[in-house]
């Protein structure tokens, strides 16, 4: 979008005014009278093109003559040209003339006046006077403004050199924070600090985990020893259990009292009496006789089979149904005789 | 180039060097942190493994098993202590006959006492295994000899009436000092023959060492 170019006109007698120049530009230019500015020129031959802007800003900051200073900076033919103005003086003028234009970029009018690429003395006519210049291949070495009668001048549609200060043309020597500069300065340390913190965090985690692992490894070694001792204790336990079981089996005898107590009711129920009794280890042979009547051998055999602790009942011999002998296995009726029982 | 431009150029170069150093340091730090992070993950796996190893055994389980083993060993020592005798073989036999006679008189019952199978000594066989009674054989097959326990055997015979025989038997079953084993009992009419043996642990037996002096 193109914006109209304005010019600030000042006079000792009249209040300041702002008038349109009748042409437009891509930037919002507000032309300043040459007499409001202080000129400086510095040689910068050999300076790389990408260093122009930074060099200009640096020099502008170094040479700024006012506390609140505005600046235009251009480089032409190996020379940096600077125009400074006092913002404390200019800003009230703009505010008084047209406050809507306070966001326009002040630009010295010299940049919009035709300047030849010659060397030597040159008189540049301005609306308010004459700017006596000393040129070197189009670069201004010296500039001396002289007031005079206003003359009609031929304006350029655009500056004869690229303005380097741009939006950062407001310089201030007053102390105060510059957040962008501080951020630029702090960026590198901040990145390094962040990475260091990240690494320290992981280093701490690693060291902590390592120490914990070392402690757990010690406990695990003790656990392994305990497992070995558990196996040893288990072996000892099994040995003792086996010995006791073997002793109880080998030293136990048939519980005669329990055997007789179990047999007597069954024999009485079938009407038989015990005639002979022979016990050898776990084998018992009994001979029973009928007290009167026949012996119901199947029923007696079945009854003997159902007695708890008695097994493998066999009918071995009989005399008709009056007398019978049985073999019994009494492994389930064993006990220790003596204190251990 | 002017001195100013040289200064500015030098300042910019220095700033770029610092920036390069910062970036390099950052990359190195980040790589180191990443390496540490991976190592930490490895350590975490080892931690899990160590936890599993620790959980496999606990001091309480060990103590419980040891206490159970001690209890059984104490029970075994108590049994052996009851069997232990300082008498000689002949004295043991003589005391056996005497005790049996006393038992018969206590009922009272008429009985004859004789030592049986003199070939059976009080000493267990020399190849007995005291501490490992069973290696391949089952516990049922292990005899008293293998356990290091000796026997003094005798046969009582006589006649009885009523409940005398059971009273005699109860004399063995309820004995509070001596350990007995009933081998056989034959009853025909009112006659009986009782084969009984007393379990003893001779001082010369290997198992006696477990009891102590």
């Amino acid at each position: 979008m193109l914006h109209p170019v304005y010019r600030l006109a000042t006079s000792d007698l009249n209040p300041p005014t702002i008038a349109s120049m009748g042409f437009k530009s891509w930037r919002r230019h507000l032309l300043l009278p040459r007499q409001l500015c202080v000129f400086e020129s510095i040689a910068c031959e050999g300076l790389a093109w990408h260093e122009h802007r930074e060099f200009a800003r640096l020099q502008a900051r170094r040479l700024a003559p006012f506390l609140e200073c505005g600046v235009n900076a251009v480089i032409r033919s190996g020379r940096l040209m600077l125009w400074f103005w006092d913002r404390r003086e200019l800003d009230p003028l703009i505010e008084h003339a047209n406050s809507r234009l306070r966001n326009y970029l002040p630009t010295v009018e010299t940049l919009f006046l035709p300047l030849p690429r010659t060397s030597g003395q040159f008189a540049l006519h301005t609306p308010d006077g004459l700017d006596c210049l000393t040129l070197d291949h189009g670069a201004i070495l010296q500039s001396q403004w002289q007031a005079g009668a206003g003359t009609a001048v031929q304006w350029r549609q655009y500056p004869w050199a690229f303005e380097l200060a741009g939006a950062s043309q407001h310089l201030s020597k007053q102390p105060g924070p510059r957040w962008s500069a501080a951020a630029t300065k702090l960026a590198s340390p901040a990145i390094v600090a962040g990475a260091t913190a990240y690494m320290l965090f992981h280093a701490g985690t690693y060291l902590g985990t390592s120490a914990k692992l070392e402690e757990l490894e010690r406990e695990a070694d003790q656990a392994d020893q305990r497992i070995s001792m558990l196996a040893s204790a288990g072996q000892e336990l099994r040995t003792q259990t086996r010995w006791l079981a073997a002793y109880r089996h080998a030293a136990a005898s048939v519980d005669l009292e329990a055997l007789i107590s179990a047999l007597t009711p069954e024999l009485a129920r079938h009407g038989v009496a015990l005639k002979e009794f022979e016990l050898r280890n776990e084998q018992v042979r009994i001979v029973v006789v009928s007290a009167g009547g026949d012996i119901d051998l199947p029923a007696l055999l079945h009854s003997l089979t159902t007695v708890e602790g008695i097994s493998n009942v066999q009918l071995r011999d009989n005399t008709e149904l009056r007398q019978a002998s049985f073999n019994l296995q009494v492994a389930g009726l064993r006990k220790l005789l003596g204190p251990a029982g | 180039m002017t001195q100013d431009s040289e200064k500015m150029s030098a300042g910019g170069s220095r700033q770029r060097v610092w920036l390069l150093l910062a970036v390099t340091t950052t990359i190195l730090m980040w790589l180191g942190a990443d390496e540490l992070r991976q190592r930490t993950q490895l350590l975490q796996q080892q931690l899990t493994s160590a936890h599993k190893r620790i959980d496999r055994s606990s001091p309480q389980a060990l103590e419980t098993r040891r206490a159970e083993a001690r209890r059984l060993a104490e029970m075994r020592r108590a049994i052996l202590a009851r069997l232990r005798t300082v008498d000689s073989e002949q004295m043991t036999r003589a005391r056996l006959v005497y005790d049996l006679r006393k038992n018969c008189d206590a009922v009272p019952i008429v009985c004859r006492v004789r030592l049986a199978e003199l070939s059976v000594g009080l000493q267990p066989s020399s190849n007995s295994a005291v501490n490992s009674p069973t290696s391949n054989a089952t516990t049922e097959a292990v005899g008293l000899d293998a356990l290091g326990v000796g026997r003094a055997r005798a046969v009582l015979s006589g006649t009885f009436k009523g409940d005398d025989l059971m009273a005699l038997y109860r004399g063995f079953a309820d004995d509070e000092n001596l350990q007995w084993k009933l081998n056989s009992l034959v009853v025909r009419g009112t006659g009986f023959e009782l084969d009984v043996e007393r379990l003893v642990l001779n001082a010369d037996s290997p198992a006696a060492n477990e009891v102590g002096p």
Side-chain angles (χ1 to χ4, degrees):
Chain A
M1 182 178 176
L2 293 172
H3 303 278
V5 178
Y6 294 94
R7 181 177 180 277
L8 175 68
T10 59
S11 169
D12 294 337
L13 302 175
N14 301 320
T17 58
I18 292 179
S20 174
M21 298 297 291
F23 56 90
K24 293 185 176 181
S25 171
W26 288 105
R27 302 177 78 178
R28 292 185 175 92
H29 286 292
L30 174 61
L31 302 187
L32 303 182
R34 168 66 183 88
Q35 63 269 23
L36 293 181
C37 301
V38 176
F39 178 76
E40 290 285 350
S41 178
I42 300 168
C44 61
E45 291 174 0
L47 192 66
W49 65 268
H50 62 275
E51 294 175 329
H52 281 185
R53 183 184 293 272
E54 198 60 35
F55 178 73
R57 289 175 180 174
L58 185 68
Q59 296 302 327
R61 187 173 302 280
R62 184 174 69 87
L63 296 172
F66 309 110
L67 284 176
E68 295 289 333
C69 189
V71 66
N72 281 153
V74 297
I75 290 179
R76 192 184 202 192
S77 299
R79 203 146 187 100
L80 171 67
M81 290 157 275
L82 299 166
W83 287 267
F84 298 102
W85 60 87
D86 189 353
R87 286 179 53 208
R88 290 180 178 176
E89 177 190 7
L90 181 64
D91 288 350
L93 293 178
I94 297 174
E95 192 70 27
H96 186 270
N98 190 344
S99 60
R100 290 188 299 107
L101 301 180
R102 67 167 71 93
N103 59 343
Y104 269 54
L105 287 173
T107 308
V108 67
E109 62 188 3
T110 308
L111 293 178
F112 279 81
L113 292 172
L115 190 69
R117 283 188 174 272
T118 57
S119 300
Q121 300 293 325
F122 180 75
L124 183 65
H125 291 277
T126 68
D128 299 327
L130 192 63
D131 194 1
C132 298
L133 305 175
T134 304
L135 301 178
D136 180 14
H137 295 89
I140 303 173
L141 301 180
Q142 282 187 333
S143 171
Q144 198 166 16
W145 188 80
Q146 294 176 359
T151 56
V153 295
Q154 184 67 35
W155 294 99
R156 290 172 58 88
Q157 300 288 316
Y158 49 90
W160 45 262
F162 183 74
E163 207 283 311
L164 296 170
S168 61
Q169 63 180 208
H170 293 172
L171 305 175
S172 175
K173 288 196 172 181
Q174 288 182 340
R178 293 202 58 192
W179 297 109
S180 60
T184 305
K185 281 184 179 178
L186 290 175
S188 298
I191 291 171
V192 174
T196 306
Y198 183 64
M199 198 198 70
L200 287 177
F201 168 74
H202 282 291
T205 306
Y206 174 79
L207 289 176
T209 309
S210 180
K212 190 176 179 184
L213 176 64
E214 196 174 339
E215 184 181 347
L216 281 182
E217 285 285 356
R218 278 199 298 272
E219 282 189 33
D221 288 342
Q222 292 176 355
D224 287 345
Q225 291 178 359
R226 277 202 301 274
I227 288 173
S228 174
M229 287 188 284
L230 265 173
S232 175
Q235 179 69 25
E236 176 68 14
L237 189 63
R238 282 191 294 277
T239 300
Q240 302 297 349
T241 306
R242 218 156 38 208
W243 190 94
L244 287 170
Y247 173 78
R248 284 179 179 139
H249 182 269
S253 311
V254 171
D255 187 353
L256 191 61
E257 208 165 7
L259 176 60
I260 297 300
S261 298
L263 280 177
T264 304
E266 296 299 327
L267 296 178
R269 193 152 62 86
H270 291 87
V272 295
L274 197 60
K275 183 182 179 185
E276 291 183 17
F277 179 90
E278 188 174 334
L279 165 69
R280 296 192 186 280
N281 292 326
E282 297 173 356
Q283 290 288 335
V284 175
R285 189 178 74 85
I286 57 173
V287 179
V288 295
V289 293
S290 169
D294 295 338
I295 304 173
D296 187 353
L297 288 177
L300 179 58
L301 183 68
H302 179 71
S303 293
L304 293 176
T305 307
T306 57
V307 174
E308 190 176 357
I310 296 177
S311 62
N312 196 21
V313 182
Q314 297 175 356
L315 174 64
R316 302 298 296 178
D317 195 8
N318 71 297
T319 306
E320 294 300 329
L321 296 177
R322 298 289 179 180
Q323 178 175 316
S325 69
F326 294 91
N327 275 12
L328 317 172
Q329 186 82 25
V330 290
L333 296 171
R334 291 170 65 86
K335 65 176 282 192
L336 290 170
L337 303 183
Chain B
M1 186 183 291
T2 62
Q3 284 185 344
D4 291 334
S5 64
E6 287 174 1
K7 281 180 183 177
M8 196 211 71
S9 182
S13 298
R14 196 161 51 243
Q15 192 172 5
R16 279 194 294 275
V17 168
W18 279 117
L19 189 62
L20 185 63
L21 279 176
V23 170
T24 307
T25 308
T26 301
I27 291 172
L28 290 176
M29 292 275 190
W30 198 271
L31 287 175
D34 194 56
E35 176 68 20
L36 286 173
R37 188 172 59 82
Q38 291 181 2
R39 289 191 184 184
T40 305
Q41 289 176 350
L42 196 64
L43 290 182
Q44 291 288 356
Q45 294 176 357
Q46 293 178 358
L47 276 181
T48 308
S49 173
H51 272 301
K52 286 181 180 174
R53 283 172 61 195
I54 291 171
D55 291 341
R56 279 190 304 170
S57 72
S58 67
Q60 292 79 10
L62 175 63
E63 191 51 42
T64 303
R65 189 170 290 191
R66 278 178 168 170
E68 180 66 11
R70 277 198 300 271
R71 189 181 67 80
L72 294 181
E74 189 60 36
M75 194 180 294
R76 175 178 174 177
R77 272 194 294 275
I79 289 172
L80 291 174
R82 278 196 297 270
L83 303 180
R84 191 172 183 223
T85 176
V86 294
D87 294 339
S88 65
E89 184 173 340
Q90 293 307 317
M91 181 60 74
T92 303
R93 292 178 189 278
R95 197 178 296 278
L96 171 67
V97 173
Y98 181 79
D99 289 341
L100 289 175
R101 170 57 60 190
K102 284 292 181 188
N103 279 7
C104 289
D105 293 344
V107 173
I109 187 173
V110 177
C111 62
R112 191 160 55 90
V113 180
R114 62 182 170 88
L115 295 172
E117 293 187 24
L118 291 177
S119 61
V120 178
L122 297 180
Q123 294 289 344
S125 57
S126 59
N127 60 351
S128 63
V130 176
N131 288 319
S132 56
T134 57
S135 53
N136 294 322
T138 59
T139 54
E140 287 77 9
V142 177
L144 290 168
D145 282 354
L147 298 174
V149 177
R151 295 170 294 164
R153 188 172 181 182
V155 176
L156 284 75
S157 58
T159 57
F160 70 97
K161 58 184 180 206
D163 200 34
D164 291 349
L165 189 56
M166 293 309 296
L168 181 63
Y169 169 78
R170 277 193 287 273
F172 298 118
D174 300 338
D175 196 326
E176 293 181 354
N177 299 315
L178 305 177
Q179 197 74 43
W180 300 94
K181 183 172 180 349
L182 179 63
N183 290 320
S184 68
L185 172 64
V186 178
V187 179
R188 289 192 178 87
T190 57
F192 76 93
E193 186 177 279
L194 183 67
D195 184 348
V196 69
E197 62 188 12
R198 180 190 159 194
L199 307 184
V200 294
L201 184 65
N202 196 276
D204 298 334
S205 171
N209 297 330
E210 297 179 31
V211 184

